[in-house]
Amino acid sequence: MKKKLHPIMLAGTGSDVGKSVIAAALCRIFKQDGYQPAPFKAQNMALNSYATPEGLEIGRAQAVQAEAAGVPCHTDMNPLLLKPSSDHTSQVVLNGRPIGNRNAFDYFRKEGREELRQEVNAAFDRLAARYNPIVMEGAGSISEINLRDTDLVNMPMACYADADVILVADIDRGGVFASVYGSVMLQTTEDKKRIKGIIINKFRGDIRLFEPGVKMMEDLCGIPVLGVIPYYRNIHIEEEDSVVLDYKRMQAVEGKINIAVVLLRHLSNFTDFNRLERDERVHLYYTNNTEDLAKADIILLPGSKSTLDDLYELRRNGVAQAVLRAHREGVTVMGICGGYQLMGLEIHDPEGVEGEIRQLPGLGLLPVITTMQGEKVTRQVNFHFLENAETCQGYEIHMGETRPVPGVSVVPLNKLEDGGEDGCFVNQKCMGSYIHGILDNQAFIDYLLEPYAEKLECHTVLDYRTYKEEQYDKLAEHVRSHLNLPLLYQIMSGND
């Protein structure tokens, strides 16, 4: 049995410094080295979420990290999830179940915070009893001292877990010395002692040129730099934050099957399209430009955290009309989750589950009506689509119930292994489903692309599960080769 290691927390000098990916790398490295690691993030704010095997909801990043660690994902890995529904409000998911919507002012007040703190601490304790080591992730910046008293995820959580803190900074943004030094100096005396190392992430160029900078940073902060991790482009790890959409392709190209994902304001679970992005037969791009939608062979309507608000916006900006026009001209239109709801005749929200809008007509492409309800469905599913014999996998996370228009017979797209049905099928170029991950299944992708066979050349079919495992190994190799791993193990063994 491996020696028990201290938990490690990756804390950031700011948001989007790459903590989640570094955490995934360390999960895979520890697994490769014979440990049984598990990820933990006390509080996560994200629209990309995932259903655990128990049918509960966690942040997608922790599901990815668990996959890198080779263990099943569990709500204890992310006990508190905030899913933004507007600039000021979020749905609060505690231990995998929604407990209501909160505005930021109410949520960050001291009242009620101790109950949440007890919940996330208990989740950590359960996780730490089962796994070794725990790879913890902070949120945002650890130098937001105005939030220190109500913080559940950064230094107070590290203190509770007796974790060694590694500060992660993004050098690609510039100002790395100021951000690291300021983050350290703004900590209390006790919290400073907990910061045991620094990782400089996303370095571009010749690392040798930064060697004097490493020495300067160590002298300045009195903390060792554990590694300078170069920026990479050839390793593909699922990202959770919608900021990554800024770097994805945005226009159609010649010579491939063009697939347009409609860029909704409240787009969620964009990881549904990661598998398609790796398919050599297609060019997938994100757009809300009506001219670019007109160039697509296939239009995908993605999930949304605020379906009615997005539907209102699609009608306002002309995208709804562009989708309908494309459908009339023979373009495939498919909706997933919120996108499936958008394709129906009507969406009702009598109880104001999503917000102020109570009812809107949908795109009218599917003979179904959706009613928003307070009970959220979260579960993993096995299914068969249409008459296909292959068993497919996916997961559901949605509010609302979608039913056929009274008196209309509807063909379900999918038959679930438990005997249930999902989605609506009009024809091969018009369908919708609640199942996230439906596009991770090769059989379904092949069916979706079949009408455009004349555009296809001979390409090797991608085994996505094997591909993802290869990417975790490549990430681990990349980080391992630029990290002082012996020193990290020394720190986590209590010998620093």
Side-chain angles (χ1 to χ4, degrees):
M1 179 177 290
K2 285 284 188 178
K3 176 183 177 181
K4 188 75 172 177
L5 298 176
H6 284 188
I8 182 176
M9 173 178 279
L10 298 174
T13 59
S15 58
D16 309 319
V17 297
K19 300 186 299 293
S20 294
V21 173
I22 297 293
L26 290 176
C27 282
R28 178 51 63 108
I29 287 170
F30 293 141
K31 175 181 184 289
Q32 291 171 338
D33 290 354
Y35 291 90
Q36 190 175 20
F40 177 81
K41 187 170 186 176
Q43 174 186 291
N44 199 354
M45 178 176 281
L47 283 177
N48 269 11
S49 59
Y50 191 73
T52 70
E54 297 80 15
L56 301 170
E57 191 174 8
I58 66 170
R60 182 80 186 194
Q62 280 63 62
V64 168
Q65 291 159 2
E67 194 170 61
V71 298
C73 62
H74 192 275
T75 57
D76 284 345
M77 298 172 182
N78 176 213
L80 194 53
L81 174 64
L82 306 180
K83 304 189 74 175
S85 50
S86 74
D87 290 342
H88 303 290
T89 60
S90 292
Q91 181 185 67
V92 180
V93 179
L94 180 63
N95 294 323
R97 299 186 187 280
I99 60 172
N101 293 326
R102 302 284 190 278
N103 66 49
F105 179 79
D106 289 340
Y107 181 79
F108 286 104
R109 287 191 305 174
K110 292 183 180 180
E111 291 84 353
R113 297 295 282 178
E114 287 312 307
E115 289 83 352
L116 292 176
R117 193 180 304 280
Q118 291 171 14
E119 292 286 352
V120 299
N121 289 350
F124 173 82
D125 289 340
R126 290 190 295 268
L127 203 66
R130 302 198 304 273
Y131 297 101
N132 171 40
I134 304 300
V135 180
M136 304 169 67
E137 184 185 340
S141 167
I142 63 166
S143 58
E144 292 166 350
I145 56 177
N146 57 310
L147 300 177
R148 178 65 167 76
D149 290 345
T150 57
D151 185 10
L152 302 176
V153 64
N154 289 307
M155 298 307 287
M157 188 67 233
C159 182
Y160 177 82
D162 192 23
D164 299 313
V165 175
I166 307 300
L167 193 58
V168 181
D170 178 357
I171 196 172
D172 194 40
R173 296 179 170 193
V176 70
F177 288 96
S179 63
V180 171
Y181 181 75
S183 296
V184 172
M185 291 302 119
L186 285 171
Q187 302 307 309
T188 66
T189 301
E190 289 303 311
D191 284 348
K192 281 182 191 174
K193 295 177 183 176
R194 196 166 290 284
I195 302 175
K196 303 294 179 63
I198 299 164
I199 293 176
I200 307 299
N201 198 24
K202 302 183 184 179
F203 184 89
R204 298 177 191 260
D206 190 332
I207 287 183
R208 292 173 297 180
L209 297 176
F210 192 66
E211 288 175 359
V214 169
K215 179 67 165 56
M216 290 176 186
M217 186 167 289
E218 290 179 334
D219 291 343
L220 193 64
C221 299
I223 299 168
V225 174
L226 295 179
V228 180
I229 312 299
Y231 195 94
Y232 62 79
R233 292 189 180 278
N234 61 340
I235 305 172
H236 304 287
I237 306 296
E238 287 187 358
E239 297 276 9
E240 172 182 75
D241 200 299
S242 60
V243 171
V244 75
L245 289 177
D246 294 340
Y247 302 99
K248 291 183 182 287
R249 294 168 290 196
M250 295 291 176
Q251 294 178 322
V253 299
E254 295 291 333
K256 289 193 176 186
I257 298 175
N258 280 298
I259 301 181
V261 178
V262 176
L263 195 56
L264 303 176
R265 289 176 61 190
H266 303 287
L267 188 155
S268 65
N269 288 77
F270 56 82
T271 48
D272 281 337
F273 313 110
N274 282 4
R275 167 66 182 83
L276 271 178
E277 287 183 17
R278 311 288 171 237
D279 195 309
E280 296 179 357
R281 299 171 292 178
V282 311
H283 173 78
L284 185 139
Y285 60 103
Y286 295 77
T287 188
N288 57 8
N289 181 291
T290 56
E291 292 182 5
D292 286 324
L293 285 171
K295 299 172 185 175
D297 301 297
I298 299 171
I299 295 176
L300 299 176
L301 290 159
S304 167
K305 187 63 186 71
S306 297
T307 309
L308 281 158
D309 191 57
D310 278 335
L311 178 55
Y312 180 86
E313 178 66 14
L314 292 184
R315 292 195 176 282
R316 188 198 66 79
N317 63 16
V319 169
Q321 296 87 333
V323 171
L324 294 175
R325 185 163 55 249
H327 172 68
R328 289 193 298 270
E329 293 173 358
V331 171
T332 297
V333 180
M334 178 182 176
I336 299 175
C337 199
Y340 168 38
Q341 296 172 341
L342 291 172
M343 290 179 68
L345 289 180
E346 295 175 348
I347 302 177
H348 301 265
D349 189 6
E351 299 176 7
V353 171
E354 283 200 343
E356 299 298 322
I357 303 174
R358 292 294 188 263
Q359 179 178 338
L360 280 177
L363 300 183
L365 296 175
L366 300 176
V368 296
I369 295 174
T370 296
T371 302
M372 295 299 177
Q373 297 174 325
E375 189 68 28
K376 178 178 280 192
V377 176
T378 55
R379 58 177 177 169
Q380 294 185 358
V381 294
N382 293 328
F383 64 96
H384 297 268
F385 69 90
L386 301 174
E387 301 303 319
N388 190 282
E390 184 170 327
T391 301
C392 299
Q393 289 83 37
Y395 61 99
E396 293 182 51
I397 298 177
H398 62 89
M399 308 284 281
E401 185 177 30
T402 300
R403 292 183 175 275
V405 174
V408 176
S409 178
V410 168
V411 177
L413 177 62
N414 302 307
K415 295 179 181 177
L416 308 183
E417 213 167 56
D418 65 4
E421 296 176 340
D422 162 75
C424 178
F425 176 82
V426 173
N427 56 52
Q428 195 168 4
K429 290 190 173 185
C430 186
M431 60 191 116
S433 169
Y434 269 122
I435 298 176
H436 294 292
I438 188 170
L439 296 174
D440 287 350
N441 297 279
Q442 189 62 48
F444 190 86
I445 289 177
D446 291 344
Y447 178 78
L448 185 69
L449 303 184
E450 191 177 64
Y452 309 96
E454 74 280 359
K455 284 195 170 188
L456 299 182
E457 299 174 2
C458 183
H459 290 288
T460 303
V461 174
L462 179 69
D463 181 336
Y464 195 46
R465 290 184 182 179
T466 300
Y467 175 82
K468 286 201 291 183
E469 286 297 306
E470 290 171 350
Q471 298 309 302
Y472 292 134
D473 286 337
K474 285 174 67 176
L475 177 67
E477 180 182 358
H478 178 73
V479 171
R480 187 190 287 270
S481 64
H482 294 95
L483 193 66
N484 188 340
L485 205 56
L487 179 54
L488 180 61
Y489 275 125
Q490 183 179 327
I491 290 170
M492 296 175 70
S493 299
N495 299 323
D496 57 306

